[in-house]
Amino acid sequence: MIAKSAADLINKQKEHFLISADQVANVFEKNHLDHAFLVLTKIGYSKIPVLDKDQHFKGLISLSMITESMLGLNGIDPSNLSQRQVCEVMQKDVPVITDNDSLEEVLHLLVDQPFLVVVDSENIFKGIITRRELMKAINYMVHELDKKYEVNLRENLS
Ligand code: AMP
């Protein structure tokens, strides 16, 4: 259980650590792999969300998933990138969070992923929470905690 004072201070930064959907690079599940390859190369992020045309979250695509799809018996063959779609190679088993998930759950999931996808109850993509942005909020919390709350060591209380 996270201390309420710490959770309150971190949650105060929520609007900063949630990167909203309109700021997040994405591709559509029906895009061809050559398009996704170009987007990933240009933006410099290793993995980005995949959506359908109604903004539902469908999965994640990375450069390595695309490279893997190019591997053939005779080495790398990029010729089928313009025929295959993102949905054929994307990662589908992705943990997602909603606004109702606790900070504890978010922290727990971020141990193993560099960012988390946020969706609403209809699975519409709302944005991402990155480890980096959450670290900034934690940094704020550890600097502000004893300015805003009285923090006592239990052994001093007895
Ligand atoms: P960062 O902590 O900023 O390095 O981001 C961690 C990961 O989150 C990146 O490698 C991307 O996979 C993803 N990411 C962060 N910001 C964006 C963004 N604006 N658009 C798409 N993906 C992003």
Side-chain angles (χ1 to χ4, degrees), residues 27-29 31-33 36 50 61 85-90:
V27 289
F28 289 118
E29 59 175 349
N31 284 150
H32 288 112
L33 291 181
V50 179
I61 184 87
Q85 290 178 325
V86 168
C87 55
E88 295 174 52
V89 304
M90 69 186 183

Side-chain angles (χ1 to χ4, degrees), residues 12 15 26 34 44 53 55 59 63-64 71 73 80 82 84 92 100 102 105 115 120 147 151 156:
K12 246 188 195 166
E15 63 187 62
N26 64 70
D34 54 353
K53 62 177 176 33
Q55 302 297 304
L63 270 182
S64 65
L71 292 181
L73 289 177
N80 65 359
S82 57
R84 298 188 71 190
K92 294 179 185 152
N100 298 329
S102 66
E105 178 68 0
F115 70 97
D120 69 9
K147 289 188 206 153
V151 183
N156 290 348

Side-chain angles (χ1 to χ4, degrees), residues 6-20:
D8 284 351
L9 282 175
I10 294 174
N11 279 324
K12 246 188 195 166
Q13 300 292 303
K14 197 163 185 178
E15 63 187 62
H16 300 298
F17 66 72
L18 173 73
I19 304 176
S20 63

Side-chain angles (χ1 to χ4, degrees), residues 22-74:
D22 57 335
Q23 309 282 323
V24 179
N26 64 70
V27 289
F28 289 118
E29 59 175 349
K30 299 290 179 203
N31 284 150
H32 288 112
L33 291 181
D34 54 353
H35 173 76
F37 187 87
L38 277 177
V39 172
L40 282 160
T41 305
K42 281 280 173 210
I43 58 171
Y45 289 126
S46 50
K47 218 181 227 190
I48 56 173
V50 179
L51 310 180
D52 70 11
K53 62 177 176 33
D54 299 315
Q55 302 297 304
H56 294 107
F57 174 70
K58 304 304 280 188
L60 296 174
I61 184 87
S62 69
L63 270 182
S64 65
M65 290 170 205
I66 300 176
T67 315
E68 175 93 41
S69 79
M70 288 194 258
L71 292 181
L73 289 177
N74 301 317

